[in-house]
Amino acid sequence: MVWRSLFRMTVDLDGVTIRAATPDDAPRIAQVDVTSWQGAYAGLLPDDYLAELDPQVRAQRWLSALSPGARSTVLVAEQGGTTLGFASFGPSSDEDADPGTHELYAMYLVPGAWGRGVARELMRTVLLQVPASATMTLWVLDGNERAQHFYRRHGFHPDGVERIDEFGGTPLTELRYRRAAS
């Protein structure tokens, strides 16, 4: 399900707009991605790894994710022309996923937008786009208590599946969270 075309929603957060991302948004999404990682994962990921994150490299990845035919849908939250955050979602990439399962691939905000309700509205918008009959999953870094709390508030819970990913040469555990179909 890709609905990039004309979607735009203004939420009551001092003029924050949530809309479908376009390829022109790739550099701003990449900057939010890097800034958010550096803020959210300080103390969880190696410092040198976080310092070396490059928005230009990430922009190329996001440009690919925003190209026609991409399997993901990407939303941006912006205010006054400034990108505050983004969310990317689509069909689950998990090997054990049932057909029709969706996955939240990424959801990040600049640290200055944390705690302002932007993430809540971004998540609500994502969930409105996923069929009510669909299960949704996401992966969250073990130890990222802030994110885990946020996802639990939105109906996601750990399902007992873990994976090890390597970040900057350091193996770290990610936990899968699941939100059951309603």
Side-chain angles (χ1 to χ4, degrees):
M1 167 185 53
V2 176
W3 53 277
R4 295 182 180 133
S5 57
L6 299 173
F7 176 79
R8 181 178 291 272
M9 179 176 108
T10 301
V11 295
D12 187 19
L13 295 170
D14 297 322
V16 173
T17 299
I18 297 173
R19 63 171 176 79
T22 70
D24 290 341
D25 292 308
R28 289 180 298 281
I29 291 170
Q31 186 61 55
V32 170
D33 197 1
V34 168
T35 302
S36 183
W37 272 61
Q38 290 170 335
Y41 297 138
L44 295 173
L45 297 180
D47 292 340
D48 57 339
Y49 175 80
L50 292 172
E52 292 173 5
L53 293 176
D54 185 348
Q56 291 180 332
V57 171
R58 295 256 171 138
Q60 291 305 311
R61 292 183 198 160
W62 284 109
L63 190 57
S64 176
L66 294 166
S67 65
R71 66 184 243 141
S72 64
T73 297
V74 182
L75 304 175
V76 292
E78 57 187 13
Q79 181 181 44
T82 300
T83 301
L84 301 177
F86 68 90
S88 173
F89 61 100
S92 176
S93 59
D94 294 334
E95 292 177 3
D96 64 345
D98 291 329
T101 299
H102 287 66
E103 181 177 347
L104 180 67
Y105 305 130
M107 184 173 187
Y108 293 104
L109 275 70
V110 294
W114 296 350
R116 292 182 33 205
V118 177
R120 179 189 66 233
E121 293 306 322
L122 200 50
M123 178 61 84
R124 286 179 181 169
T125 305
V126 167
L127 295 175
L128 285 172
Q129 303 311 309
V130 175
S133 61
T135 296
M136 188 165 201
T137 62
L138 58 87
W139 290 92
V140 62
L141 196 60
D142 190 19
N144 188 347
E145 298 298 328
R146 179 185 194 98
Q148 291 174 20
H149 176 74
F150 174 81
Y151 294 131
R152 282 191 303 270
R153 283 188 6 233
H154 290 278
F156 290 87
H157 300 284
D159 69 1
V161 177
E162 298 180 357
R163 69 181 180 194
I164 305 295
D165 272 338
E166 191 173 296
F167 297 93
T170 302
L172 296 167
T173 302
E174 290 184 296
L175 311 172
R176 185 169 66 189
Y177 274 49
R178 178 179 303 276
R179 185 176 194 269
S182 51

